[in-house]
Amino acid sequence: MQINKDASQTMIRSSPKWPVPYVSVNLAIKRAFDIAASALALILLAPIMLAIALLIRLTLGSPVLFVQARPGMNAEIFHLYKFRTMRHLVDEQGMEAPDHERLTRTGRFLRTTSLDELPQLWNVLTGDMSIVGPRPLLVRYLPLYSAVQARRHEVRPGMTGWAQIHGRRSLDSNWEEKFRLDVWYVDNQSFLLDMKILARTALKVLRRDDISQSGQATSEAFKGTGKDR
């Protein structure tokens, strides 16, 4: 997959906080964990994923998966996989209806339990994503980032991340704080920190809190911030 050249111009490199040997070992451990955990999860969760796919096929029809281009590490574009949660619905003018009107009851359940994210385990296994890292956002956001915000692409995007455990709902409209947390993770990533994030993510999923903005199916769109931030 080719790197989006215009988007990659917003990327900058920073000096690593940790010594180079530590960083290399840490990244090797992180990737080994990603491969082992995603492969094991895909095997163990295969019956559940098959049942979800069948449910979506019966309630929404085909396709079962939602596939979308997203920027990964170094702004390289990859295809992200999720279980489909919305139906195709247009208004009288032929325009696509708002997300909250297209989101089905089944889709809402999948989102509140984060089961719609399970196909991203394949993205982790293939190396496009990590289990822990900044969430992969939309390609159209790339030119809108400041140089500091673009640093979130110095690592692989994740299924969960430092920003997510600090309140998905409260951060839905606070993009600057979300990006600040993403960049903090880039500078402080370690295997122990990843385990802490995974533990806190599991608690949030079990409690089904911090799901989305009230009255909205998806986050408010990012419109850019000052380039000097």
Side-chain angles (χ1 to χ4, degrees), residues 62-198:
S62 185
V64 168
L65 293 178
F66 171 77
V67 183
Q68 189 175 53
R70 296 289 178 96
M73 186 166 65
N74 299 324
E76 185 172 350
I77 307 303
F78 71 98
H79 288 95
L80 175 139
Y81 300 100
K82 296 178 67 172
F83 280 122
R84 184 177 164 212
T85 58
M86 296 185 184
R87 56 180 175 157
H88 178 65
L89 181 66
V90 296
D91 58 24
E92 296 179 353
Q93 287 73 40
M95 302 294 292
E96 192 170 67
D99 288 348
H100 71 273
E101 294 182 13
R102 297 189 296 120
L103 185 65
T104 65
R105 181 177 299 179
T106 298
R108 189 175 300 279
F109 170 76
L110 293 177
R111 288 192 174 204
T112 57
T113 56
S114 296
L115 291 173
D116 64 318
E117 310 281 357
L118 289 181
Q120 289 167 42
L121 289 166
W122 179 255
N123 289 122
V124 175
L125 185 61
T126 59
D128 291 323
M129 291 179 61
S130 178
I131 291 179
V132 178
R135 287 293 294 157
L137 301 177
L138 300 178
V139 174
R140 72 169 184 263
Y141 292 169
L142 286 172
L144 303 178
Y145 294 144
S146 69
V148 174
Q149 292 167 351
R151 292 193 54 225
R152 68 193 306 278
H153 290 288
E154 292 180 8
V155 297
R156 286 186 178 92
M159 296 181 66
T160 185
W162 186 244
Q164 282 62 50
I165 65 171
H166 283 82
R168 285 186 291 180
R169 183 183 302 171
S170 61
L171 292 177
D172 271 348
S173 59
N174 191 346
W175 286 102
E176 290 190 31
E177 177 62 11
K178 185 182 297 186
F179 294 148
R180 186 190 69 80
L181 292 169
D182 285 344
V183 174
W184 184 93
Y185 173 81
V186 171
D187 288 334
N188 294 274
Q189 191 277 324
S190 69
F191 184 73
L192 289 179
L193 177 61
D194 283 1
M195 295 303 100
K196 175 182 178 180
I197 292 172
L198 281 176

Side-chain angles (χ1 to χ4, degrees), residues 1-17:
M1 189 70 64
Q2 294 295 317
I3 295 178
N4 184 307
K5 298 300 183 181
D6 292 334
S8 64
Q9 290 179 356
T10 65
M11 300 286 296
I12 64 169
R13 282 294 173 189
S14 63
S15 299
K17 177 180 179 180

